[in-house]
């Protein structure tokens, strides 16, 4: 067992940290208020290789491992979770799904642009009545011979308004249940494809979240991913890797809040000394540090399993379940340590607390993670 990072990993982490501090931190509060994220920052993340971290260089990617991905995600998430969720979705769900299961033609046409950040992707699974119950797809894709016709609605889609490429999960044969589901590549601008209003969210407010409408959208047969009926398996396999991304986002939110709380506790004085010298605060910091380190071990283990080619379904579920819990709990503690200052935007921790909640919900709620873990435990 080796818990040390390689020199390459340290360089990657430091590059991500420098970008987060110099590029993301200025204006992060204003972006949260305005619910915007500039295209210029997306391009810069693409230039640094953050939009195709694990993609093979022959498709324009950075060719890094999953450990590198986790390190980048943590550093970005410490400062701006709206930025990191864009990176997570584009990497874990869109690029991974295309590279692992797409045809060579699909990779050349779509992956090469997504991996460089020239284009951005979205993953479209959730619906008004199909969130955690992903088998209850109401969106349909009717086979018309040389093309499919898609009708339906997708909800809460990250990168929904700014994406160029959408991976859409739809039901082709309802009688077959989950074996009648397919995955399709839909391009922005296809007739009948409309993007609804932007969601007004509690957290990750700079992230682009929309409802999507599909009204008789014609999608060429060659845009189906995998064999007929592969869509549900495609979604589940892709989400397992996505959970590592969200787990690392949760880890970053928690560690970012902890770093701010520690710094503040060494500056703020009460009863004649810095508040870190009071046991009530010192013990909070001890608990925060311990919980975050435990989460980090789970996240790194899941990333290591993926890099080793091991089954990482349970590992990613445990990492997401625990890291998201830690993010929620420790951002609340960070606000508490800041006292009244923690309740105002200037000190950043209230935003991190708002951002933390979504990590317990998207890409599989905490309850769904427990189902995945319990099934793995019982199966042995």
């Amino acid at each position: 067992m080796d818990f040390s990072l390689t020199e390459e990993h340290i360089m990657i982490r430091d590059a991500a940290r420098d970008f987060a501090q110099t590029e993301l931190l200025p204006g992060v509060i204003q972006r949260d208020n305005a619910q915007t994220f500039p295209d210029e920052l997306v391009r810069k993340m693409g230039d640094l290789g953050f939009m195709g971290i694990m993609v093979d260089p022959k498709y324009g990617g950075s060719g890094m491992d999953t450990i590198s991905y986790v390190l980048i995600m943590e550093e970005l998430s410490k400062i701006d979770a709206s930025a990191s969720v864009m990176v997570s979705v584009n990497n874990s769900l869109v690029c991974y799904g295309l590279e692992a299961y797409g045809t060579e033609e699909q990779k050349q046409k779509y992956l090469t642009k997504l991996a460089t950040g020239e284009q951005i992707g979205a993953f479209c699974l959730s619906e008004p009545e199909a969130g955690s119950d992903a088998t209850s797809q109401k969106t349909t894709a009717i086979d018309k011979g040389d093309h499919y016709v898609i009708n339906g609605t997708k909800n809460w889609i990250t990168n929904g308004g700014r994406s160029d490429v959408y991976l859409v999960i739809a039901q082709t044969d309802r009688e077959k249940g989950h074996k009648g589901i397919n995955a399709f590549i839909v391009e922005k601008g296809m007739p009948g494809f409309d993007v609804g209003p932007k969601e007004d969210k509690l957290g990750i407010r700079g992230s682009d979240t929309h409802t999507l409408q599909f009204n008789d959208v014609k999608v060429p047969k060659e845009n189906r991913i995998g064999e007929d009926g592969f869509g549900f398996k495609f979604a589940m396999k892709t989400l397992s890797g996505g959970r590592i991304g969200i787990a690392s986002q949760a880890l970053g939110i928690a560690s970012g809040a902890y770093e701010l709380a520690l710094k503040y506790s060494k500056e703020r004085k009460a009863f004649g000394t810095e508040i870190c010298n009071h046991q009530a605060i010192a013990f909070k910091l001890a608990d925060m540090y311990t919980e975050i380190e435990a989460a980090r071990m789970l996240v790194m283990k899941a990333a290591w399993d993926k890099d080793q080619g091991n089954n990482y379904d349970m590992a990613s579920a445990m990492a997401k379940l625990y890291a998201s819990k830690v993010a929620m709990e420790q951002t609340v503690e960070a606000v508490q340590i800041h006292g009244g200052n923690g309740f105002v935007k200037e000190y950043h921790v209230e935003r991190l607390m708002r951002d933390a909640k979504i990590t317990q919900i998207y890409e599989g709620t905490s309850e769904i993670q427990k189902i995945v873990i319990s099934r793995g435990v019982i199966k042995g």
Side-chain angles (χ1 to χ4, degrees):
M1 297 175 72
D2 184 357
F3 292 95
S4 59
L5 296 174
T6 65
E7 287 188 14
E8 183 180 359
H9 285 144
I10 292 170
M11 287 174 60
I12 291 166
R13 181 200 64 193
D14 290 349
R17 181 177 297 171
D18 180 67
F19 174 78
Q21 293 289 337
T22 59
E23 299 286 350
L24 293 183
L25 183 57
V28 65
I29 295 173
Q30 290 75 17
R31 294 195 299 273
D32 180 75
N33 289 337
Q35 303 186 66
T36 59
F37 195 87
D39 290 338
E40 178 189 354
L41 287 176
V42 178
R43 285 194 295 271
K44 287 182 178 179
M45 290 193 294
D47 291 342
L48 287 168
F50 294 168
M51 302 305 283
I53 296 168
M54 297 167 287
V55 176
D56 192 308
K58 71 180 180 181
Y59 299 118
S62 300
M64 301 184 204
D65 59 9
T66 315
I67 296 290
S68 301
Y69 173 51
V70 165
L71 294 171
I72 291 168
M73 281 292 298
E74 180 181 357
E75 294 302 326
L76 299 182
S77 303
K78 286 180 182 180
I79 304 301
D80 190 349
S82 294
S84 67
V85 74
M86 271 187 251
V87 170
S88 178
V89 168
N90 203 69
N91 277 278
S92 293
L93 302 183
V94 181
C95 286
Y96 171 79
L98 285 171
E99 186 169 22
Y101 303 108
T103 64
E104 185 62 28
E105 290 75 20
Q106 290 170 348
K107 294 174 188 177
Q108 292 294 340
K109 185 174 181 180
Y110 299 107
L111 182 59
T112 52
K113 294 178 181 178
L114 290 163
T116 60
E118 181 183 342
Q119 293 187 344
I120 298 178
F123 185 81
C124 309
L125 175 65
S126 294
E127 298 181 2
E129 297 179 32
S132 294
D133 182 8
T135 59
S136 298
Q137 295 290 309
K138 296 292 190 292
T139 299
T140 59
I142 306 304
D143 191 341
K144 295 292 186 178
D146 65 343
H147 67 276
Y148 288 87
V149 175
I150 298 180
N151 282 281
T153 303
K154 294 294 182 180
N155 278 40
W156 313 297
I157 304 303
T158 300
N159 300 341
R162 72 194 313 152
S163 287
D164 306 280
V165 177
Y166 299 77
L167 304 190
V168 180
I169 312 300
Q171 186 86 49
T172 299
D173 189 339
R174 199 169 300 283
E175 291 184 1
K176 292 183 180 179
H178 73 276
K179 293 183 179 179
I181 294 173
N182 280 304
F184 302 92
I185 304 168
V186 177
E187 298 176 28
K188 177 178 280 186
M190 283 183 168
F193 175 31
D194 297 310
V195 178
K198 191 173 186 176
E199 300 287 357
D200 188 3
K201 306 189 299 292
L202 170 72
I204 58 167
R205 289 171 62 80
S207 169
D208 205 26
T209 308
H210 292 258
T211 293
L212 308 178
Q213 297 282 349
F214 301 87
N215 299 297
D216 292 333
V217 179
K218 291 176 64 175
V219 178
K221 205 67 169 272
E222 59 265 26
N223 279 31
R224 188 186 70 200
I225 300 174
E227 296 298 317
D228 186 27
F230 180 67
F232 183 74
K233 186 175 182 180
F234 168 81
M236 295 303 102
K237 289 287 186 182
T238 304
L239 283 171
S240 285
R243 286 165 185 160
I244 297 175
I246 301 306
S248 57
Q249 181 187 48
L251 173 64
I253 292 169
S255 57
Y258 164 76
E259 289 175 7
L260 290 170
L262 177 63
K263 182 176 182 290
Y264 183 82
S265 74
K266 293 179 178 181
E267 297 169 349
R268 174 73 170 175
K269 289 187 177 182
F271 304 103
T273 186
E274 292 78 9
I275 62 172
C276 63
N277 295 323
H278 296 296
Q279 190 177 77
I281 302 300
F283 278 15
K284 284 184 185 295
L285 293 168
D287 286 340
M288 291 173 77
Y289 186 82
T290 301
E291 294 285 326
I292 290 166
E293 281 297 296
R296 181 172 284 111
M297 291 299 103
L298 281 171
V299 175
M300 288 296 189
K301 173 60 164 55
W304 181 84
D305 274 336
K306 186 171 184 289
D307 285 337
Q308 296 301 310
N310 302 332
N311 184 301
Y312 55 92
D313 292 348
M314 274 184 69
S316 64
M318 288 189 291
K320 184 182 182 297
L321 173 67
Y322 191 73
S324 62
K325 174 177 175 286
V326 168
M328 197 67 248
E329 292 175 351
Q330 305 318 322
T331 53
V332 169
E333 287 288 55
V335 170
Q336 190 70 18
I337 290 171
H338 280 75
N341 285 331
F343 211 66
V344 299
K345 293 181 182 294
E346 178 186 353
Y347 287 81
H348 296 281
V349 286
E350 64 84 28
R351 174 174 48 81
L352 291 170
M353 184 179 74
R354 288 188 286 107
D355 289 347
K357 184 58 194 173
I358 191 61
T359 66
Q360 295 182 307
I361 299 173
Y362 59 13
E363 294 194 34
T365 63
S366 294
E367 291 75 16
I368 290 296
Q369 306 315 312
K370 290 180 182 181
I371 292 174
V372 174
I373 297 163
S374 62
R375 284 176 178 169
V377 168
I378 293 166
K379 186 186 291 186

